[in-house]
Amino acid sequence: MTAPQATAAAKPVKPARWAADTVSMLREGARLRLDHSPQSLWSVDRVIADLRREHPPYEAVAHALRGFGAYAGEVLVRQLGANWEELDGAHVLRTPDGQLWDPIGEARHTFEADGSLRLLCRDAMGS
């Protein structure tokens, strides 16, 4: 009998899966290829801005925004070696310097015209 895996090891699966689904959705639907580079977040910010211009209710785009935020988080995972953590039911990133970042929340702020995933990534990489 094998020992069960620690729950901490399983936590990154959800955001990583959401990010992968978003990459597939944008590749298939918008013909946009995301390469997990910081520069690709310009495109994600533009997609969110385009959604905002259509004035949908937040609930109609919440799932997509979660995926966009997870994608931005995966950029930081790959660029900085950040790790996903679940705190109070929210998925956040901890960078190697110990700082916490909330790219999923930032996607919502971007939708509300009060944030930017590109700038979040820049700030995290500069810290």
Side-chain angles (χ1 to χ4, degrees):
M1 179 174 228
T2 60
Q5 289 184 334
T7 56
K11 289 179 184 172
V13 172
K14 283 183 182 181
R17 178 77 254 158
W18 299 333
D21 290 346
T22 297
V23 168
S24 293
M25 175 189 68
L26 288 175
R27 183 179 56 243
E28 299 299 321
R31 304 238 188 265
L32 179 63
R33 296 206 181 270
L34 299 176
D35 61 4
H36 291 87
S37 69
Q39 296 80 11
S40 69
L41 294 173
W42 282 91
S43 297
V44 176
D45 277 349
R46 268 195 319 272
V47 169
I48 294 172
D50 290 345
L51 281 175
R52 181 176 57 248
R53 280 192 279 283
E54 295 175 12
H55 304 290
Y58 173 76
E59 295 75 26
V61 296
H63 183 77
L65 292 172
R66 181 185 71 182
F68 295 143
Y71 171 77
E74 284 298 301
V75 170
L76 293 174
V77 165
R78 293 176 185 209
Q79 296 293 316
L80 297 177
N83 292 300
W84 286 104
E85 294 183 10
E86 188 171 345
L87 296 175
D88 298 324
H91 290 87
V92 296
L93 283 172
R94 185 176 302 276
T95 50
D97 63 3
Q99 290 192 50
L100 290 176
W101 302 88
D102 183 10
I104 295 172
E106 189 67 15
R108 180 178 187 154
H109 293 300
T110 303
F111 177 71
E112 295 167 346
D114 201 25
S116 166
L117 293 172
R118 177 186 58 84
L119 294 178
L120 174 97
C121 183
R122 185 198 66 189
D123 291 348
M125 292 179 70
S127 66

